[in-house]
Amino acid sequence: MSEDKRAKNELIKESSHQLRGTIAQGLADVSTGAISEDDSQLTKFHGTYLQDDRDVRGERAKKKLEKAYSFMIRVRLPGGVTTSKQWLQLDAIAGTYANHALRLTTRQTFQFHGVIKTNMKRTMQAINAAVLDTLAACGDVNRNVLATGNPNLSKVHAAAHQLAVDVSEHLLPKTGAYHEIWLDGEQVSDASRPAKTDEEPIYGKHYLPRKFKIVIAVPPSNDVDIYAHDLGYIAITDDKGKLVGWNITVGGGMGMTHGDPDTFPRTADLFGFCTTEQAVDVAEKIVTVQRDWGNRENRKRARLKYTIEDRGLDNFRAEVEKRLGYKLGEPRPFEFTSTGDVIGWQQGADKKWHLTLFVENGRIKDKPGWRLRTALREIAEIHPGGFLVTANQNVIISNITAKTKPKIEALLAEHGIVIGSDFSGLRRNSMACVALPTCGLALAESERFLPELVTALEESLEKAGLRDDDIVIRMTGCPNGCARPYLAEIGLVGRNPGLYNLYLGAAFNGDRLNKLYAEDIDKDRIIGLLDPIFARYAKEREDGEHFGDFVIRAGYVKATTAGNRFHADLDLVKTAS
């Protein structure tokens, strides 16, 4: 690899002194609400993005004011588990420093939006006071590790959560930059000298070519969308339900670029089998092969999925096994049936209760008649059992005793939150990224538009008798795929303001990508295209046939058999009626 061909981010990382850059100086500069462009790349490794309010860009430009800058901060929360005390602390941070809302993300954690630069260190220190951090929640490193939604349901679920914690801790960057900058720790590196390679024994001074995402699933639930991620572990049990080890998947990923067929979403491949004792070692060796083999010249093709496409799965496995010093086992049989959360009450093996609340697009806030943030805060004050964030942007109130159960139900009802509210199957299975106004990559609305679209589509579903049927719909404001739209039975991806690409035909259990059906369509056209498909699905579906399977059988789209076939076999519907 020639030096002059490396992507700009590689040079930024190399000269950053292990992620220090000039972040500290930039934070101290009160003449602007922003930081430098290079530092804004480095702060991602610290779990924060520089953003601005795009709703007011034009108005501020007319007044010759700089953009309304603020920061998004993402918490590192392996497996999505928090104590009730931590919930209260995070809620207080949202009210004191952010925009009075907690945003649950598809990475099974919390995001704070609207934090201004002068409050950044205070916010980071408040997160630290909650015995949490934001290190490696973003950036070219292993990010927050997802695990199946509720570790309290069984010993296997608990093992999945523990593996998420172990892998997350093992793959954390070792640089002292985070503590130096945000927590006023002692400086451990002289910025006038090159960074020491041995400060990062796994990542080195260049870290990874791109982000890296790891998940752990417990069949039959694929609630973490295992096929969408770089590395996955699938719990394998014996005939008595005892955990025997983990199937390994590699090479999944959602992001692509509009108009560039060399970029595409990809479902992960089955890679092998390992024991629990081997699992962390396997993760490290897969990460180091990607570190050494990944594309550092073209960031659009720098994810592990392209490394495997270019090098081949067998070659990749051989190199991983060489570094491990042993062979991986053959994958064991398993079955996934769904990707969503079970909304409502569930009881664990210890007889304690767990309540999953549907949180539309993950935004926990108060609004007239639906004071969700207040309700959860008051529950945290009386309930010691903790909370869980799911990979589907929902929240679980966990470890509820039979005695506490009616108190929690009463508190929820008092604030307008009715358990088992009459959400349609489509709404229960909906997800959207944040998009506008804060995401700099958004081409169209997502979180602010999907609820309105679902309401309109519910009329079609009601007419067809499908209101209660589970159909997965997801929307993103750009093609990067944060809400995993390419694994939705109905996927909508922003192209321009008010215009979306419509994808159909993903598998309900998350193991097949969808296919492009229509380009550049607005709300009315989306409804107009889906309405007759819903009607036909209601009349012609076979027993147990999911919507994504039906649209393939009925000929609306061809099945996507592999990521590198995502752009193939297209037969687009005309964009005008």
Side-chain angles (χ1 to χ4, degrees):
M1 181 178 66
S2 58
E3 291 289 310
D4 59 349
K5 290 185 179 180
R6 288 184 299 164
K8 180 183 178 183
N9 290 62
E10 295 301 312
L11 305 178
I12 294 172
K13 288 181 283 186
E14 182 177 80
S15 62
S16 73
H17 308 288
Q18 308 291 180
L19 309 181
R20 292 170 176 85
T22 57
I23 297 171
Q25 296 92 316
L27 291 171
D29 180 3
V30 297
S31 68
T32 174
I35 55 177
S36 74
E37 184 179 344
D38 285 3
D39 285 341
S40 70
Q41 295 301 316
L42 296 175
T43 55
K44 294 176 183 179
F45 292 79
H46 298 253
T48 181
Y49 279 71
L50 175 65
Q51 300 181 328
D52 75 284
D53 186 344
R54 293 171 62 182
D55 284 348
V56 298
R57 267 189 193 176
E59 177 188 344
R60 292 181 70 85
K62 288 178 183 177
K63 296 178 179 178
K64 297 184 178 181
L65 298 172
E66 77 169 3
K67 295 174 182 177
Y69 289 113
S70 66
F71 289 79
M72 179 277 287
I73 301 175
R74 184 179 299 154
V75 177
R76 184 177 67 92
L77 195 72
V81 176
T82 67
T83 66
S84 294
K85 180 179 178 182
Q86 286 172 326
W87 185 281
L88 290 171
Q89 289 170 296
L90 293 172
D91 177 85
I93 291 168
T96 305
Y97 301 119
N99 62 353
H100 303 280
L102 287 163
R103 181 54 154 79
L104 309 183
T105 83
T106 56
R107 297 305 308 158
Q108 202 175 19
T109 186
F110 301 89
Q111 284 182 183
F112 298 105
H113 290 265
V115 180
I116 60 174
K117 189 170 78 171
T118 52
N119 281 332
M120 282 294 291
K121 286 185 71 169
R122 296 185 188 95
T123 306
M124 291 294 208
Q125 290 170 2
I127 291 169
N128 183 69
V131 200
L132 295 168
D133 62 64
T134 68
L135 178 61
C138 318
D140 296 344
V141 285
N142 174 58
R143 298 189 177 189
N144 196 51
V145 180
L146 278 59
T148 188
N150 191 344
N152 303 297
L153 294 180
S154 73
K155 290 181 179 179
V156 177
H157 289 80
H161 174 256
Q162 187 58 52
L163 179 57
V165 172
D166 293 344
V167 169
S168 179
E169 293 296 328
H170 186 73
L171 295 178
L172 268 184
K174 302 301 187 286
T175 174
Y178 183 86
H179 285 80
E180 291 170 20
I181 293 167
W182 306 110
L183 308 179
D184 297 324
E186 179 183 354
Q187 188 167 344
V188 295
S189 174
D190 181 351
S192 67
R193 296 198 305 264
K196 297 177 289 186
T197 301
D198 60 2
E199 191 175 351
E200 294 288 11
I202 294 176
Y203 292 115
K205 65 181 180 180
H206 294 106
Y207 295 86
L208 297 181
R210 281 298 299 271
K211 58 190 171 186
F212 198 92
K213 298 179 178 181
I214 302 176
V215 297
I216 296 98
V218 178
S221 174
N222 184 19
D223 55 354
V224 293
D225 261 327
I226 199 160
Y227 297 104
H229 295 89
D230 297 274
L231 171 60
Y233 295 90
I234 302 169
I236 302 298
T237 58
D238 60 20
D239 55 7
K240 295 181 180 178
K242 183 180 178 181
L243 180 69
V244 296
W246 309 87
N247 279 355
I248 307 160
T249 61
V250 295
M254 290 287 96
M256 69 169 200
T257 302
H258 284 316
D260 185 351
D262 288 334
T263 66
F264 45 82
R266 187 182 192 275
T267 46
D269 298 306
L270 274 173
F271 189 63
F273 173 87
C274 70
T275 64
T276 297
E277 293 73 24
Q278 296 169 330
V280 173
D281 189 26
V282 168
E284 178 187 311
K285 300 308 186 288
I286 288 172
V287 164
T288 63
V289 176
Q290 168 62 1
R291 176 198 67 197
D292 299 339
W293 284 18
N295 189 329
R296 292 185 184 270
E297 295 181 2
N298 181 1
R299 283 180 67 80
K300 290 181 180 180
R301 285 187 60 87
R303 291 286 297 274
L304 177 62
K305 61 181 176 179
Y306 299 118
T307 304
I308 290 174
E309 284 285 330
D310 295 342
R311 297 287 192 119
L313 185 66
D314 290 341
N315 289 333
F316 186 80
R317 183 187 294 107
E319 181 64 21
V320 170
E321 290 178 339
K322 176 183 175 183
R323 298 187 187 199
L324 285 169
Y326 54 83
K327 297 280 188 182
L328 297 170
E330 290 295 318
R332 311 281 179 91
F334 67 96
E335 182 183 16
F336 287 127
T337 58
S338 67
T339 57
D341 296 330
V342 178
I343 305 299
W345 289 104
Q346 280 187 294
Q347 195 169 24
D350 61 358
K351 304 304 180 186
K352 287 186 178 178
W353 290 93
H354 311 280
L355 176 60
T356 304
L357 295 176
F358 171 68
V359 182
E360 191 158 40
N361 301 324
R363 187 73 66 176
I364 294 178
K365 62 181 182 180
D366 287 345
K367 56 185 179 181
W370 184 268
R371 296 179 299 278
L372 182 60
R373 184 180 162 216
T374 296
L376 292 174
R377 180 172 61 249
E378 292 182 2
I379 288 170
E381 289 169 348
I382 66 162
H383 168 61
F387 296 79
L388 309 167
V389 179
T390 81
N392 291 301
Q393 303 175 320
N394 297 319
V395 65
I396 302 173
I397 308 169
S398 59
N399 295 309
I400 301 168
T401 63
K403 184 177 180 180
T404 310
K405 196 174 174 220
K407 295 179 183 177
I408 287 176
E409 288 177 324
L411 265 177
L412 289 168
E414 180 184 335
H415 293 289
I417 317 300
V418 181
I419 299 166
S421 291
D422 189 25
F423 298 115
S424 68
L426 188 71
R427 197 175 297 273
R428 286 196 305 269
N429 290 279
S430 65
M431 284 203 300
C433 68
V434 174
L436 297 170
T438 52
C439 179
L441 300 175
L443 304 172
E445 294 281 2
S446 184
E447 179 186 339
R448 296 195 297 194
F449 173 54
L450 184 58
E452 169 191 330
L453 177 64
V454 169
T455 298
L457 291 173
E458 283 171 338
E459 295 182 20
S460 298
L461 292 166
E462 192 81 57
K463 283 191 303 181
L466 297 172
R467 180 179 172 79
D468 295 329
D469 287 69
D470 287 313
I471 299 173
V472 179
I473 183 170
R474 296 173 182 171
M475 176 181 284
T476 56
C478 83
N480 286 343
C482 293
R484 305 189 287 275
Y486 310 112
L487 285 172
E489 294 176 290
I490 302 169
L492 291 151
V493 177
R495 287 272 296 184
N496 284 295
L499 298 176
Y500 299 82
N501 281 359
L502 171 62
Y503 299 83
L504 300 175
F508 186 74
N509 70 353
D511 67 2
R512 182 184 65 241
L513 295 165
N514 49 30
K515 183 76 73 180
L516 182 62
Y517 179 62
E519 284 186 307
D520 293 320
I521 58 175
D522 62 12
K523 176 185 174 182
D524 289 342
R525 185 64 173 147
I526 294 168
I527 297 165
L529 288 174
L530 290 175
D531 183 86
I533 302 177
F534 288 151
R536 189 176 169 193
Y537 172 57
K539 293 176 182 176
E540 299 179 19
R541 60 179 167 172
E542 297 174 351
D543 288 346
E545 186 175 31
H546 287 288
F547 183 76
D549 299 323
F550 170 78
V551 294
I552 293 170
R553 183 174 65 82
Y556 291 101
V557 292
K558 297 279 194 344
T560 299
T561 55
N564 57 22
R565 301 291 299 167
F566 182 74
H567 300 297
D569 305 317
L570 299 182
D571 184 16
L572 301 185
V573 69
K574 293 180 180 178
T575 55
S577 21

